[in-house]
Amino acid sequence: RVFGIDFTSDARRFVSTSDDHQVRMWSLGNKDVEKRFPSDEAMRYAYFVDGEDEIVGCSTENRFVVWDVATRVPTATFRGQNK
């Protein structure tokens, strides 16, 4: 199940989030997945940051992850507060 998508500024690529613990970067040109960004949790939202250099995702468990697009490695993780 897909939760959300975000397009690059030139609308040639987009990221999608889903309940299978993957953030995927798609190409509209060839209609295929270019990169996958695995997570320990289902990701609810993902957005391109700093052009296309980074992606930030928000999990269903209130955690934020920042990935480097080139390496697909998480560069930062933040835990949100619960009330």
Side-chain angles (χ1 to χ4, degrees), residues 17-81:
T17 58
S18 64
D19 59 0
D20 68 354
H21 300 202
Q22 295 276 324
V23 173
R24 293 174 176 83
M25 186 171 78
W26 299 79
S27 168
L28 287 174
N30 63 16
K31 300 177 182 162
D32 201 7
V33 175
E34 288 188 346
K35 296 183 179 187
R36 296 173 194 269
F37 303 87
S39 172
D40 295 336
E41 302 165 1
M43 301 305 286
R44 185 70 67 177
Y45 307 103
Y47 300 97
F48 286 101
V49 180
D50 196 22
E52 293 182 39
D53 294 336
E54 294 179 317
I55 292 172
V56 62
C58 176
S59 79
T60 57
E61 302 299 320
N62 205 25
R63 184 172 64 111
F64 299 90
V65 180
V66 179
W67 288 276
D68 179 274
V69 170
T71 64
R72 292 181 270 184
V73 173
T75 58
T77 301
F78 306 92
R79 179 69 60 184
Q81 296 179 357

